[in-house]
Amino acid sequence: MRNPEKARKIFKVPGVLYEADIRDADAVRKALEQCDAVLHTAADMGVTGRDVDLGGANVRGLKNVLAQAVDLGLDPVVHVSSVAVFVPPSEPVLTVDSPLARPRGAYGQTKLYGERYARDLDGVTIVYPGGVIGPDQPTLDTLNEGFRAGLRQGWPIVPGGVSVLDVRDLAMALARCFRPGQGARRYMLGGHYLTWERVAAVCEEVTGRRVRRLRMPGGLLRAAGSSLDLLKRVAPIDHPLTRDAADLMLTLVPTDDTRTLQELGLTLRPVEESVADTVRWLVAEGHLTS
């Protein structure tokens, strides 16, 4: 549990929480024995270069949850994967049938292992979200952290782009996956695909302020990410760019979410609304100044 106290405030029901380390198979099974269904979202987001146990959470923890949920006959069992398992892509548009990639970084490799493991289990539904933004993130990370850095220090204007998905739309999609008896399904949900120039423009639209643009070739961004990887080993540098993040920024392509939106009866909110609500929350929480 990332933040037990915040979770208690959200659920407001005594005894609804079971605190355990997902790397502990016995503790996980005791929790699952009290469940009818499972939503597995736990993962360490190593793409931002923080000190995390990728193998523990993304591999051992995933196996403890998914394999034991299937063994206990829980239905449905929903696993939240990532569009990152398809990146770098081999096609101009990503679908659930796109070839899995061969990532160079530890985060991508652990997510890819988890993806293959989940696919081999009977009856697991897999959802592939893009970059998630929105208010009320327990620990600032990944795309929210990227928006903070972009607004404070400037947006790199490079080839490629980003898939932006509102956390509230993702939550609704996951809730609608909870229909028992459906069997194994896979849903692509990248969200709105924006070039980096468009990201900067949307930030300007919702804040009414000029956003700095840092135009550079892709090779320079990769070099900057590699340099920051080295520096973060010896100094507490507060910037989300890593070599893995640079690779994602430069190579991501749009996703085809059509079937997902139709089957789940979902309409994505405008990206401007998502960015505006994210910026308001970043300011309210002290991550950005007004």
Side-chain angles (χ1 to χ4, degrees):
M1 181 65 65
R2 290 181 178 179
N3 190 324
E5 189 56 35
K6 186 167 286 189
R8 290 188 186 95
K9 292 179 181 178
I10 293 172
F11 286 109
K12 300 178 182 178
V13 178
V16 74
L17 294 180
Y18 181 96
E19 296 181 39
D21 189 328
I22 63 168
R23 296 170 296 185
D24 183 338
D26 291 338
V28 170
R29 192 171 188 90
K30 289 178 182 178
L32 293 176
E33 288 172 347
Q34 305 174 50
C35 298
D36 300 308
V38 166
L39 171 62
H40 178 251
T41 66
D44 271 326
M45 301 298 290
V47 71
T48 55
R50 297 294 180 256
D51 183 18
V52 293
D53 178 15
L54 291 172
N58 296 0
V59 177
R60 192 163 70 252
L62 175 141
K63 294 172 69 174
N64 288 340
V65 174
L66 295 185
Q68 295 190 102
V70 170
D71 182 60
L72 290 168
L74 306 187
D75 184 22
V77 177
V78 181
H79 167 56
V80 181
S81 183
S82 168
V83 296
V85 300
F86 303 105
V87 178
S90 57
E91 300 174 341
V93 177
L94 294 178
T95 72
V96 295
D97 297 318
S98 292
L100 295 174
R102 296 181 179 178
R104 58 174 294 278
Y107 169 71
Q109 291 169 5
T110 58
K111 291 298 290 183
L112 183 61
Y113 178 91
E115 171 69 20
R116 288 174 171 152
Y117 189 85
R119 289 190 185 190
D120 286 340
L121 294 172
D122 291 331
V124 175
T125 292
I126 305 176
V127 181
Y128 306 95
V132 180
I133 65 170
D136 302 319
Q137 188 175 40
T139 302
L140 194 65
D141 201 0
T142 316
L143 195 53
N144 272 355
E145 190 175 9
F147 266 84
R148 179 183 68 164
L151 287 163
R152 289 169 58 182
Q153 299 158 8
W155 284 106
I157 305 301
V158 293
V162 60
S163 291
V164 179
L165 178 65
D166 193 293
V167 66
R168 294 161 293 189
D169 292 335
L170 174 58
M172 182 62 71
L174 294 175
R176 292 180 181 178
C177 288
F178 272 75
R179 294 175 294 169
Q182 301 295 308
R185 294 161 290 165
R186 289 191 285 138
Y187 290 123
M188 180 65 71
L189 192 60
H192 302 280
Y193 181 81
L194 307 179
T195 65
W196 294 108
E197 177 63 46
R198 180 59 183 151
V199 171
V202 170
C203 288
E204 289 181 337
E205 291 174 23
V206 303
T207 64
R209 297 179 179 226
R210 182 68 178 169
V211 172
R212 183 184 304 168
R213 290 165 170 79
L214 308 173
R215 301 188 184 277
M216 63 182 73
L220 181 58
L221 185 72
R222 285 192 172 97
S226 297
S227 298
L228 283 170
D229 285 345
L230 295 174
L231 290 173
K232 287 175 184 178
R233 296 178 184 178
V234 297
I237 296 175
D238 185 25
H239 197 284
L241 182 64
T242 64
R243 174 57 190 268
D244 285 349
D247 287 340
L248 283 168
M249 291 173 66
L250 292 166
T251 63
L252 187 64
V253 296
T255 59
D256 184 355
D257 302 342
T258 305
R259 184 176 66 83
T260 299
L261 299 178
Q262 291 176 345
E263 288 193 12
L264 300 182
L266 188 67
T267 299
L268 300 179
R269 67 195 66 210
V271 69
E272 294 83 1
E273 177 184 337
S274 300
V275 173
D277 289 348
T278 299
V279 173
R280 290 191 191 98
W281 175 78
L282 288 170
V283 172
E285 292 291 307
H287 299 301
L288 287 172
T289 66
S290 58

